[in-house]
Amino acid sequence: MTQKLTDKPVSIAADHRGVALKTRLKAWLLANGYAVTDRGTDSDVERVDAMDYAVRLAAEIQAGRSDFAVGICGSGQMVAITANRFPFIRATLLHTVEESLGARRHGDANMLVLGADLTDADTAERMLEIFLSTAALGERYAERRERLARLDPSKL
Ligand SMILES: O=P(O)(O)OC[C@H]1O[C@@H](O)[C@H](O)[C@@H]1O
């Protein structure tokens, strides 16, 4: 068993293209001792907008109900772009286990984003395992994250 960085439920959501991967990752989370908050969608035939599901995940983190979220759409792009509009979200679209390590160590990412059309489920499971068990580094990495949090668009 790898270390757990959170005792809160992991929030997960997907658009219609990500339903199958969401089901698989939810099962992995439950089997590995994580509580799960599933914010939909549940139909892979009814077309929905990935943006709405990214917003649902952001709301879970903003409210403090989850420390980590997993968002899925076909490419992952729409979830990642939407989620990163919120300053308290550090969403990262990943394709490899190595990227998952870096996203947590350097970026303290709190939302794992996956493209269901591009990512096989075994790799996604491994990325999720690494994502939820890799601590963020301190020192210069922490200083950069603090700078990031202070970036002010009105001062461009
Ligand atoms: O299935 P349709 O609606 O054609 O395309 C949706 C996908 O297009 C991209 O924005 C997202 O990746 C989303 O999953």
Side-chain angles (χ1 to χ4, degrees):
M1 178 66 88
T2 51
Q3 71 164 335
K4 278 198 169 60
L5 300 176
T6 185
D7 292 326
K8 295 180 185 177
V10 175
S11 289
I12 190 165
D15 76 352
H16 50 291
R17 292 201 189 214
V19 167
L21 186 58
K22 175 167 75 69
T23 301
R24 170 84 179 251
L25 295 181
K26 185 175 170 183
W28 184 92
L29 287 164
L30 293 170
N32 284 275
Y34 291 94
V36 178
T37 299
D38 184 344
R39 296 302 317 271
T41 191
D42 296 316
S43 167
D44 61 4
V45 293
E46 184 188 342
R47 180 167 284 155
V48 295
D49 193 332
M51 198 183 304
D52 296 321
Y53 294 85
V55 170
R56 289 182 184 194
L57 293 175
E60 293 298 323
I61 291 190
Q62 184 186 37
R65 291 189 289 267
S66 286
D67 295 318
F68 293 104
V70 183
I72 311 166
C73 64
S75 65
Q77 298 290 354
M78 207 55 218
V79 169
I81 289 167
T82 304
N84 279 320
R85 306 244 339 154
F86 301 97
F88 48 88
I89 297 293
R90 294 174 301 284
T92 184
L93 171 57
L94 303 180
H95 304 92
T96 68
V97 170
E98 291 74 19
E99 287 175 314
S100 192
L101 266 178
R104 286 289 310 134
R105 283 179 175 160
H106 291 198
D108 195 17
N110 57 4
M111 187 183 296
L112 168 61
V113 184
L114 298 167
D117 295 347
L118 307 167
T119 304
D120 72 86
D122 289 342
T123 304
E125 263 184 15
R126 183 76 183 123
M127 284 193 277
L128 178 58
E129 179 179 17
I130 295 290
F131 195 85
L132 293 176
S133 61
T134 302
L137 296 174
E139 300 178 338
R140 66 184 183 278
Y141 303 104
E143 287 165 16
R144 288 177 187 135
R145 293 192 299 269
E146 282 159 22
R147 277 196 62 207
L148 179 68
R150 289 196 304 272
L151 281 185
D152 182 351
S154 71
K155 297 206 174 102
L156 285 176

Short mmCIF file of all heavy atoms in Angstrom, two decimals, residues 50-51 53-55 57-58 77-92 110-111 113:
data_model
loop_
_atom_site.label_atom_id
_atom_site.label_comp_id
_atom_site.label_asym_id
_atom_site.label_seq_id
_atom_site.Cartn_x
_atom_site.Cartn_y
_atom_site.Cartn_z
N ALA A 50 -17.96 19.00 -21.34
CA ALA A 50 -16.90 18.71 -20.36
C ALA A 50 -16.68 19.88 -19.39
O ALA A 50 -16.32 19.67 -18.23
CB ALA A 50 -15.60 18.39 -21.09
N MET A 51 -16.91 21.09 -19.90
CA MET A 51 -16.70 22.27 -19.07
C MET A 51 -17.51 22.20 -17.77
O MET A 51 -17.02 22.54 -16.69
CB MET A 51 -17.14 23.49 -19.89
CG MET A 51 -16.63 24.80 -19.38
SD MET A 51 -17.27 26.18 -20.37
CE MET A 51 -16.76 25.72 -22.01
N TYR A 53 -18.40 19.70 -16.09
CA TYR A 53 -17.88 18.70 -15.15
C TYR A 53 -16.58 19.18 -14.52
O TYR A 53 -16.30 18.89 -13.35
CB TYR A 53 -17.78 17.34 -15.86
CG TYR A 53 -19.19 16.90 -16.19
CD1 TYR A 53 -19.82 17.32 -17.36
CD2 TYR A 53 -19.93 16.19 -15.25
CE1 TYR A 53 -21.14 17.01 -17.61
CE2 TYR A 53 -21.25 15.87 -15.50
CZ TYR A 53 -21.85 16.29 -16.68
OH TYR A 53 -23.18 15.99 -16.90
N ALA A 54 -15.81 19.95 -15.25
CA ALA A 54 -14.63 20.58 -14.67
C ALA A 54 -15.04 21.56 -13.57
O ALA A 54 -14.42 21.62 -12.50
CB ALA A 54 -13.83 21.30 -15.75
N VAL A 55 -16.11 22.29 -13.82
CA VAL A 55 -16.61 23.25 -12.82
C VAL A 55 -17.10 22.51 -11.57
O VAL A 55 -16.84 22.93 -10.43
CB VAL A 55 -17.72 24.13 -13.43
CG1 VAL A 55 -18.42 24.96 -12.36
CG2 VAL A 55 -17.13 25.04 -14.51
N LEU A 57 -15.99 19.76 -10.38
CA LEU A 57 -14.82 19.31 -9.62
C LEU A 57 -14.17 20.49 -8.90
O LEU A 57 -13.75 20.36 -7.74
CB LEU A 57 -13.82 18.63 -10.55
CG LEU A 57 -14.27 17.31 -11.15
CD1 LEU A 57 -13.24 16.79 -12.14
CD2 LEU A 57 -14.53 16.27 -10.06
N ALA A 58 -14.09 21.62 -9.59
CA ALA A 58 -13.51 22.81 -8.95
C ALA A 58 -14.30 23.17 -7.70
O ALA A 58 -13.73 23.55 -6.67
CB ALA A 58 -13.49 23.97 -9.94
N GLN A 77 -8.40 18.12 -22.88
CA GLN A 77 -8.09 19.55 -23.05
C GLN A 77 -9.16 20.45 -22.43
O GLN A 77 -8.85 21.43 -21.75
CB GLN A 77 -7.94 19.87 -24.54
CG GLN A 77 -6.82 19.13 -25.24
CD GLN A 77 -5.44 19.59 -24.82
OE1 GLN A 77 -5.29 20.56 -24.08
NE2 GLN A 77 -4.41 18.90 -25.30
N MET A 78 -10.40 20.13 -22.68
CA MET A 78 -11.48 21.04 -22.24
C MET A 78 -11.58 21.06 -20.72
O MET A 78 -11.80 22.13 -20.12
CB MET A 78 -12.80 20.60 -22.87
CG MET A 78 -13.78 21.71 -23.04
SD MET A 78 -13.05 23.07 -23.99
CE MET A 78 -13.77 24.45 -23.12
N VAL A 79 -11.39 19.91 -20.10
CA VAL A 79 -11.42 19.87 -18.63
C VAL A 79 -10.25 20.66 -18.06
O VAL A 79 -10.42 21.47 -17.15
CB VAL A 79 -11.39 18.41 -18.12
CG1 VAL A 79 -11.16 18.38 -16.61
CG2 VAL A 79 -12.70 17.70 -18.46
N ALA A 80 -9.07 20.47 -18.62
CA ALA A 80 -7.88 21.14 -18.07
C ALA A 80 -7.98 22.66 -18.26
O ALA A 80 -7.69 23.43 -17.33
CB ALA A 80 -6.62 20.60 -18.75
N ILE A 81 -8.37 23.07 -19.45
CA ILE A 81 -8.45 24.51 -19.73
C ILE A 81 -9.48 25.17 -18.82
O ILE A 81 -9.24 26.25 -18.26
CB ILE A 81 -8.78 24.74 -21.22
CG1 ILE A 81 -7.57 24.37 -22.08
CG2 ILE A 81 -9.21 26.18 -21.47
CD1 ILE A 81 -7.87 24.25 -23.57
N THR A 82 -10.61 24.52 -18.67
CA THR A 82 -11.67 25.08 -17.81
C THR A 82 -11.22 25.12 -16.35
O THR A 82 -11.35 26.16 -15.68
CB THR A 82 -12.95 24.23 -17.92
OG1 THR A 82 -13.33 24.15 -19.28
CG2 THR A 82 -14.07 24.84 -17.11
N ALA A 83 -10.71 24.02 -15.87
CA ALA A 83 -10.37 23.93 -14.44
C ALA A 83 -9.32 24.96 -14.05
O ALA A 83 -9.38 25.54 -12.96
CB ALA A 83 -9.90 22.52 -14.11
N ASN A 84 -8.38 25.21 -14.96
CA ASN A 84 -7.31 26.14 -14.62
C ASN A 84 -7.73 27.60 -14.66
O ASN A 84 -6.92 28.48 -14.36
CB ASN A 84 -6.09 25.88 -15.51
CG ASN A 84 -5.27 24.72 -14.98
OD1 ASN A 84 -5.08 24.58 -13.77
ND2 ASN A 84 -4.79 23.87 -15.86
N ARG A 85 -8.98 27.88 -14.98
CA ARG A 85 -9.51 29.24 -14.83
C ARG A 85 -9.66 29.60 -13.35
O ARG A 85 -9.77 30.77 -13.02
CB ARG A 85 -10.88 29.39 -15.50
CG ARG A 85 -10.90 28.97 -16.92
CD ARG A 85 -11.18 29.96 -17.96
NE ARG A 85 -11.86 31.16 -17.61
CZ ARG A 85 -11.68 32.26 -18.34
NH1 ARG A 85 -10.81 32.26 -19.33
NH2 ARG A 85 -12.34 33.34 -18.07
N PHE A 86 -9.71 28.60 -12.49
CA PHE A 86 -9.94 28.83 -11.07
C PHE A 86 -8.59 28.85 -10.34
O PHE A 86 -7.82 27.89 -10.45
CB PHE A 86 -10.85 27.76 -10.49
CG PHE A 86 -12.19 27.70 -11.18
CD1 PHE A 86 -12.42 26.78 -12.19
CD2 PHE A 86 -13.18 28.60 -10.85
CE1 PHE A 86 -13.64 26.74 -12.85
CE2 PHE A 86 -14.41 28.57 -11.51
CZ PHE A 86 -14.63 27.63 -12.51
N PRO A 87 -8.30 29.93 -9.61
CA PRO A 87 -6.95 30.09 -9.05
C PRO A 87 -6.56 29.03 -8.03
O PRO A 87 -5.36 28.81 -7.81
CB PRO A 87 -6.98 31.49 -8.42
CG PRO A 87 -8.41 31.87 -8.33
CD PRO A 87 -9.16 31.10 -9.37
N PHE A 88 -7.52 28.37 -7.44
CA PHE A 88 -7.20 27.35 -6.44
C PHE A 88 -7.03 25.97 -7.07
O PHE A 88 -6.79 24.98 -6.37
CB PHE A 88 -8.30 27.30 -5.36
CG PHE A 88 -9.69 27.27 -5.94
CD1 PHE A 88 -10.28 26.06 -6.26
CD2 PHE A 88 -10.36 28.45 -6.20
CE1 PHE A 88 -11.55 26.03 -6.82
CE2 PHE A 88 -11.63 28.42 -6.76
CZ PHE A 88 -12.22 27.22 -7.07
N ILE A 89 -7.17 25.89 -8.39
CA ILE A 89 -6.99 24.62 -9.10
C ILE A 89 -5.64 24.61 -9.81
O ILE A 89 -5.28 25.58 -10.48
CB ILE A 89 -8.11 24.40 -10.15
CG1 ILE A 89 -9.48 24.31 -9.47
CG2 ILE A 89 -7.84 23.14 -10.98
CD1 ILE A 89 -9.68 23.10 -8.60
N ARG A 90 -4.94 23.52 -9.64
CA ARG A 90 -3.74 23.26 -10.44
C ARG A 90 -4.00 21.95 -11.18
O ARG A 90 -3.73 20.87 -10.67
CB ARG A 90 -2.50 23.20 -9.54
CG ARG A 90 -2.17 24.55 -8.88
CD ARG A 90 -1.04 24.45 -7.88
NE ARG A 90 -1.33 23.51 -6.82
CZ ARG A 90 -2.14 23.74 -5.79
NH1 ARG A 90 -2.77 24.91 -5.68
NH2 ARG A 90 -2.34 22.81 -4.87
N ALA A 91 -4.62 22.10 -12.35
CA ALA A 91 -5.02 20.93 -13.14
C ALA A 91 -3.93 20.60 -14.15
O ALA A 91 -3.35 21.49 -14.77
CB ALA A 91 -6.33 21.21 -13.86
N THR A 92 -3.70 19.31 -14.34
CA THR A 92 -2.63 18.90 -15.22
C THR A 92 -3.08 17.73 -16.09
O THR A 92 -3.58 16.73 -15.58
CB THR A 92 -1.38 18.57 -14.39
OG1 THR A 92 -0.31 18.25 -15.24
CG2 THR A 92 -1.61 17.46 -13.40
N ASN A 110 -3.46 19.50 -8.11
CA ASN A 110 -4.57 18.93 -7.32
C ASN A 110 -5.68 18.36 -8.19
O ASN A 110 -6.66 17.83 -7.67
CB ASN A 110 -5.12 19.93 -6.30
CG ASN A 110 -5.60 21.23 -6.93
OD1 ASN A 110 -5.60 21.38 -8.14
ND2 ASN A 110 -6.00 22.16 -6.09
N MET A 111 -5.54 18.49 -9.52
CA MET A 111 -6.52 17.85 -10.40
C MET A 111 -5.80 17.09 -11.51
O MET A 111 -5.06 17.69 -12.30
CB MET A 111 -7.49 18.86 -11.01
CG MET A 111 -8.61 18.15 -11.78
SD MET A 111 -9.76 19.26 -12.63
CE MET A 111 -10.51 20.12 -11.25
N VAL A 113 -6.02 15.32 -14.91
CA VAL A 113 -6.91 15.35 -16.08
C VAL A 113 -6.43 14.32 -17.09
O VAL A 113 -5.23 14.22 -17.37
CB VAL A 113 -6.95 16.76 -16.71
CG1 VAL A 113 -7.95 16.78 -17.86
CG2 VAL A 113 -7.30 17.80 -15.67
#
